Amino acid sequence: MNDAAAAASITLLRTTEALRAALAKPLASGLHLVSTPIGNLGDMTLRGIATLAAADVIYCEDTRHSRTLSSHFGFAAPLKPYHEHNGEAARPHILAALAAGKRIALISDAGTPLISDPGYKLVRAVIDAGYTVSCVPGASAVLSALTISGLPTDCFLFVGFMPHKAGARAARLAELATTDATLVLYEAPSRVAACVADIATVLGDREVAVARELTKLHEAVLRGPASVIAQQLAVSEPPGEFVVVIAPPHAGVVSDDMIRARLQTAMTETSTRDAAQAVAEALGVPRGRVYDLALALKREQERS
Ligand code: SAM
């Protein structure tokens, strides 16, 4: 057995032990908010598995959807619906079960419950009734997109979904225009191009990162000025799920590092002049600035 294979078998052994220990630990009575994967079953945490395996009932948005996760891991607890249409009727049953000492889990279709998903009113009711609420953190599209966006992470504001209608969306963006933070929002595939075009118009041509199909096979991130990314998205309605991350005011200028990274690829394919022209157009920055950086890069490459 080589070193890598030996290390892999130790990892397998340790992970199995950790899961066994998590499964053996009794689960306390209360409401357990369990994050589930956003597209990759490998992102289910050990504690998440152990909690759902020990729960008396698993509440979810759509029982047919969550059956896939439940069957995959072999959870025995019944799946019951909890969503915006039955929440009011379901909450007294959940509170009664907690009074009887039951372990109740809440999951959503994907990611972290309550984050643009049902659960807030339930958590409030459980706290007000004096029962315990605990969480098993895990996947969420907000943080996944933010961390790979390349935009500032020290202060950010998650604004959920934008209004569907163009006028209301522009008004909401205008309210956010002076917020001194990176903005993160969810958007549907049918509206993402229009939304990013509105960002360019209402917020100015800030740098954005549009993350698509995070953690899935076709995960991709488009980064650049909002006007340029809006054009790329408008070419054809892209399939998948999207998170849009927007640079704070004044921080969204295209950096020299970003230009150099694009030039490095472009200069392997075409002349310095044409590469500078193409990168300037793609990033929406003056051609002279890109050309100066391209010449400096060429000199560095010739020296090394
Ligand atoms: N509770 C979830 C979470 O923690 O991320 C979000 C639920 S919200 C109803 C669904 C939206 O999240 C999608 O429309 C999309 O904007 C975003 N989303 C979820 N999974 C995603 C993924 N794999 N890639 C990109 N965006 C995703």
Side-chain angles (χ1 to χ4, degrees):
M1 199 186 286
N2 63 26
D3 286 354
S9 58
I10 291 171
T11 302
L12 179 61
L13 195 69
R14 300 266 161 84
T15 309
T16 310
E17 282 165 6
L19 181 57
R20 188 173 291 127
L23 286 166
K25 206 169 164 208
L27 185 66
S29 165
L31 176 67
H32 300 267
L33 309 174
V34 181
S35 296
T36 58
I38 57 170
N40 186 329
L41 278 176
D43 294 335
M44 191 69 211
T45 65
L46 299 184
R47 271 188 73 223
I49 294 171
T51 302
L52 295 177
D56 296 302
V57 184
I58 300 172
Y59 279 90
C60 57
E61 287 180 83
D62 178 346
T63 53
R64 282 166 309 175
H65 178 95
S66 293
R67 185 96 45 219
T68 309
L69 182 86
S70 183
S71 308
H72 181 81
F73 290 105
F75 302 137
L79 293 170
K80 291 192 182 175
Y82 183 88
H83 45 70
E84 59 178 293
H85 304 297
N86 79 339
E88 206 166 328
R91 282 193 291 276
H93 295 288
I94 297 174
L95 291 176
L98 292 173
K102 300 287 184 201
R103 291 85 47 98
I104 307 292
L106 177 73
I107 61 174
S108 60
D109 281 353
T112 300
L114 281 81
I115 303 303
S116 291
D117 272 335
Y120 164 68
K121 286 183 181 166
L122 176 61
V123 167
R124 195 64 252 174
V126 171
I127 293 169
D128 290 347
Y131 302 114
T132 307
V133 180
S134 65
C135 73
V136 182
S140 187
V142 188
L143 292 184
S144 306
L146 177 68
T147 50
I148 62 170
S149 67
L151 297 174
T153 53
D154 54 338
C155 179
F156 69 94
L157 179 68
F158 172 59
V159 294
F161 284 97
M162 285 287 106
H164 295 185
K165 297 223 168 94
R169 182 172 59 224
R172 178 72 181 119
L173 286 171
E175 285 170 5
L176 297 166
T178 52
T179 303
D180 196 11
T182 296
L183 302 174
V184 187
L185 58 95
Y186 288 161
E187 194 49 279
S190 57
R191 287 186 293 272
V192 69
C195 177
V196 177
D198 281 357
I199 289 166
T201 309
V202 179
L203 300 183
D205 206 5
R206 296 192 198 174
E207 193 178 335
V208 297
V210 177
R212 170 174 175 262
E213 296 288 81
L214 288 161
T215 74
K216 303 184 198 176
L217 186 62
H218 298 294
E219 173 177 299
V221 188
L222 293 174
R223 299 182 185 89
S227 62
V228 174
I229 301 302
Q231 278 169 16
Q232 292 175 8
L233 290 166
V235 172
S236 63
E237 185 181 303
E241 297 191 280
F242 291 86
V243 184
V244 181
V245 188
I246 309 164
H250 317 300
V253 285
V254 178
S255 67
D256 284 358
D257 281 348
M258 190 169 181
I259 296 173
R260 267 192 289 266
R262 295 280 184 115
L263 281 171
Q264 240 146 9
T265 312
M267 284 165 66
T268 60
E269 292 159 1
T270 184
S271 68
T272 308
R273 185 175 295 276
D274 288 351
Q277 173 80 33
V279 171
E281 274 172 23
L283 295 179
V285 290
R287 195 169 63 87
R289 178 182 167 203
V290 182
Y291 191 56
D292 287 348
L293 287 167
L295 289 178
L297 195 62
K298 195 174 169 205
R299 281 195 294 274
E300 269 171 39
Q301 285 169 349
E302 282 165 357
R303 272 201 299 271
S304 60

